[in-house]
Amino acid sequence: MPAVIPQLPASLYSDFQRTGRREPYEDAQRQRRNMLYRLVLAECLDWRGTFLEAIADLLWARLEETNWAWPAHARMLDLPDSPTLDLAAAMTALDLAEIDYLLGERLEPNLRAHIRSEVDRRVISPFLERHDHWWLHSTPKRQVNNWTAVCVAGAAGAACYLEPDRARLAEILARGLASLADYLETFDSRGGSTEGPDYWSYGFGNFVVFAHLLEARTGGGVRLLDDPFVREIAQFPLRTILAPGAWVSFSDSDLKAGFHPGLLAFLAQRLNLPQLAGMGIENDFAVDHFNQFAWPLRQYLWPLPESPAPFTGSSHDWFPDMAWMISRVEPADPNSLRVAIKGGHNDEMHNQNDVGSFIMMMRGRAVVTDPGRGRYSKAYFGPARYENLMTSSRGHSVPVVNGYLQQAGRRHAARIIEHGHDAARDYLLLDMAAAYPPEAGLAMLRRTLEMDRLAPGGSVVLVDEFAFSGRSGGFDSVLVTAGEAQVAGGAVVLRTGDAVVEVTFDPDLLSVRLEHHPAVEKQYAPPVDLTRVIFSAPASCEGRVRLAMRPAF
């Protein structure tokens, strides 16, 4: 008995406007996608026509959807002459183009004609002819981000398959390449992205998909992947890995970043970066959680090798434009102490108010964490974004000054005073005063994080030095953990699984208290219990908070 195709009624689409929840519609649409992906891959492997009728049913259902765009982006069902070209619409266009290419004349001519008509009407023509897409180019008010790569890959990638007019195709590709030039400019000079590893996988992954298609379509005439800077960007996962299966979780990214095996395998071979295959990511041939066909298809085409040499990072990585420092006591030992800290500013891509945030990891577990992304909803991407614990500086291991949190905006930034690395230690000194509003009354706020490799098992010292403008004020230094915290005299013991860190401080100068936040909602992950460990200095005109952190064996 054929599987029932999930229904997508108008009332389900409008549920987002009523409730702010993305999941009801997106989950049902994702079920349709993954049913289609599984059937197409099964037919490609079997090639006996067994699944063609079910594939046609799903393709017609996708073509009949009023909107390909997600409700969070379109807000309402589209007018007939104004389709919303968002991430989902672009991915759908490339999905249909690749399925048409794979199955070809085994699909009915009428169905193939409708695929071409709808992909052009909803995606290719709006991409070429309209100028109201915010993601087309960076402006002084807004920088492009992963949307640019995903939407260009969808629209221009679909055109590589479907557009018969070579002159029109050239226009489409030229427009896409101009947008991708702006996208590449969002990366740090060392290939880093303030969106974090998860959105590297999404945005840059789609850039790679398009670059590969473009190279094939032009007979090798346009080779975007030969750019040395693209090779720098491709190394971002290698430079942000903290342990096998764990990466820096700044911005709307997570510790367990979602890398596509096919992407890593392709880049490892094409760009001679074999370490990408050894980061602890495994092949996954199940098809139950994808938003686009590109990745399950390429998982089968470009699988990871079965026993790659493991890679868990170098001793030190530094992104000078973003002010991200990642340090590892013993790179060859994945259980060794690792730390990551960021400077930057509070108007970054997928921004969180997190200037000065840091992560401390040992035994593959984040004992001091940056909690990553919260649950995506209307409020999360609306005016109330920074009321959410996950995006507010309150949810990060950064100071609270006179009761004031960090503020959003480009001017609320850190300035790098000094950075250093050698065999004995790594350190970063930041001026963070501008991250806070004038009402906080700061004259100075400097944060120093130093990792000592020579101490047994390694150690980390965090120092916050502050001064107020002509008056005394309150100052809290905060550590955030998703594990347990216990206060014992002049020490706090942090425990996450079998990873234990002792934090020592001067109890004559600081008081400490715990603040618990149970079941904080996350995106694509279970809720997390967070604890803020708050070290408070007495009211004064100036002061210094010093926290010494070391593994407790």
Side-chain angles (χ1 to χ4, degrees):
M1 181 177 177
V4 175
I5 298 174
Q7 296 300 300
L8 299 176
S11 59
L12 190 62
Y13 200 91
S14 61
D15 180 77
F16 175 79
Q17 285 301 320
R18 293 191 301 269
T19 68
R21 298 179 303 170
R22 298 173 61 137
E23 295 88 354
Y25 185 88
E26 289 184 20
D27 287 353
Q29 190 193 59
R30 189 176 297 110
Q31 282 184 270
R32 282 190 172 195
R33 291 173 183 268
N34 285 276
M35 288 172 66
L36 178 60
Y37 303 163
R38 287 192 293 270
L39 288 166
V40 172
L41 290 170
E43 183 60 34
C44 288
L45 294 170
D46 182 67
W47 210 247
R48 291 185 296 180
T50 307
F51 306 101
L52 288 176
E53 183 176 295
I55 288 169
D57 284 345
L58 278 158
L59 287 172
W60 281 115
R62 300 292 337 260
L63 293 169
E64 291 163 1
E65 292 171 16
T66 302
N67 278 31
W68 286 352
W70 283 323
H73 302 153
R75 306 288 173 166
M76 63 179 65
L77 292 171
D78 289 336
L79 295 171
D81 60 349
S82 185
T84 300
L85 177 46
D86 77 330
L87 302 167
M91 291 187 296
T92 299
L94 186 57
D95 282 359
L96 298 181
E98 296 205 311
I99 291 168
D100 176 86
Y101 175 79
L102 288 169
L103 300 180
E105 293 181 358
R106 306 178 84 222
L107 298 176
E108 295 177 356
N110 189 27
L111 175 55
R112 299 188 75 192
H114 273 270
I115 287 173
R116 282 157 174 74
S117 174
E118 288 302 297
V119 168
D120 187 79
R121 181 182 73 84
R122 298 178 191 242
V123 176
I124 295 176
S125 285
F127 173 73
L128 180 61
E129 298 168 5
R130 280 170 37 194
H131 308 283
D132 58 342
H133 311 300
W134 68 262
W135 44 262
L136 273 177
H137 296 291
S138 290
T139 69
K141 292 185 177 180
R142 185 165 189 172
Q143 187 180 46
V144 299
N145 59 19
N146 68 87
W147 275 62
T148 303
V150 175
C151 292
V152 169
C160 285
Y161 285 108
L162 301 178
E163 178 52 58
D165 185 331
R166 295 183 66 180
R168 188 171 187 252
L169 176 60
E171 288 186 68
I172 295 165
L173 296 179
R175 188 171 177 84
L177 289 171
S179 293
L180 290 177
D182 280 5
Y183 172 67
L184 293 180
E185 287 183 359
T186 67
F187 288 86
D188 176 277
S189 58
R190 287 276 289 162
S193 170
T194 61
E195 290 189 284
D198 267 310
Y199 279 99
W200 174 94
S201 185
Y202 190 35
F204 183 66
N206 274 273
F207 172 90
V208 171
V209 167
F210 174 67
H212 180 253
L213 291 176
L214 180 62
E215 186 171 320
R217 186 66 177 83
T218 60
V222 182
R223 300 172 61 90
L224 300 180
L225 297 172
D226 288 353
D227 183 347
F229 186 51
V230 169
R231 192 173 189 274
E232 288 290 317
I233 297 169
Q235 295 176 75
F236 187 52
L238 301 176
R239 293 168 176 167
T240 54
I241 190 170
L242 292 173
W247 282 263
V248 170
S249 57
F250 299 144
S251 186
D252 279 341
S253 197
D254 286 318
L255 282 170
K256 295 188 180 299
F259 294 114
H260 301 296
L263 172 63
L264 299 179
F266 175 77
L267 291 173
Q269 182 177 35
R270 173 62 187 267
L271 301 182
N272 191 26
L273 294 170
Q275 303 94 328
L276 286 170
M279 299 188 301
I281 300 297
E282 298 180 352
N283 288 314
D284 180 4
F285 295 100
V287 184
D288 58 8
H289 58 277
F290 291 97
N291 283 321
Q292 57 185 135
F293 185 53
W295 297 123
L297 172 62
R298 285 158 179 79
Q299 165 67 97
Y300 280 82
L301 297 175
W302 304 330
L304 286 165
E306 290 188 4
S307 300
F311 179 83
T312 58
S314 60
S315 62
H316 172 266
D317 285 290
W318 170 241
F319 297 94
D321 306 325
M322 306 191 307
W324 287 22
M325 182 181 79
I326 299 95
S327 301
R328 307 167 185 91
V329 167
E330 179 47 65
D333 180 5
N335 291 318
S336 67
L337 180 66
R338 282 105 193 280
V339 73
I341 182 171
K342 74 179 295 292
H345 60 81
N346 285 338
D347 191 27
E348 295 171 343
M349 298 182 293
H350 271 267
N351 184 67
Q352 297 187 1
N353 290 343
D354 59 356
V355 169
S357 180
F358 76 99
I359 302 162
M360 185 175 178
M361 177 172 281
M362 62 174 296
R363 298 186 182 277
R365 299 178 181 273
V367 182
V368 177
T369 193
D370 185 302
R373 57 183 158 191
R375 177 175 167 268
Y376 288 3
S377 65
K378 185 191 293 187
Y380 194 82
F381 289 103
R385 177 175 175 86
Y386 299 108
E387 296 174 15
N388 189 297
L389 182 69
M390 305 289 271
T391 53
S392 162
S393 65
R394 195 160 174 253
H396 296 82
S397 298
V398 300
V400 176
V401 182
N402 249 340
Y404 287 94
L405 303 175
Q406 293 184 13
Q407 297 293 291
R410 179 65 179 82
R411 69 182 183 278
H412 296 293
R415 178 175 62 87
I416 301 168
I417 299 175
E418 192 174 355
H419 162 257
H421 159 68
D422 57 33
R425 66 177 186 138
D426 295 342
Y427 66 92
L428 179 62
L429 172 58
L430 299 171
D431 175 356
M432 291 173 48
Y436 294 83
E439 293 80 5
L442 277 172
M444 182 267 287
L445 172 55
R446 292 185 174 184
R447 164 162 283 195
T448 304
L449 185 142
E450 179 178 333
M451 188 179 79
D452 181 357
R453 289 192 178 83
L454 301 183
S459 67
V460 173
V461 174
L462 180 74
V463 177
D464 288 330
E465 300 173 280
F466 60 92
F468 292 100
S469 300
R471 60 187 175 94
S472 64
F475 188 91
D476 296 335
S477 284
V478 179
L479 303 181
V480 175
T481 183
E484 301 173 9
Q486 294 178 323
V487 182
V492 176
V493 176
L494 303 178
R495 184 188 305 273
T496 303
D498 60 352
V500 184
V501 166
E502 183 182 63
V503 184
T504 56
F505 62 98
D506 189 338
D508 293 331
L509 300 177
L510 301 173
S511 62
V512 62
R513 69 185 188 276
L514 305 180
E515 181 181 285
H516 300 289
H517 296 268
V520 181
E521 290 186 309
K522 289 182 62 64
Q523 183 74 359
Y524 307 130
V528 61
D529 296 334
L530 296 176
T531 298
R532 301 176 72 235
V533 185
I534 304 167
F535 300 87
S536 298
S540 62
C541 292
E542 60 183 24
R544 180 174 182 266
V545 175
R546 182 182 187 275
L547 305 177
M549 294 168 268
R550 64 176 183 83
F553 298 103

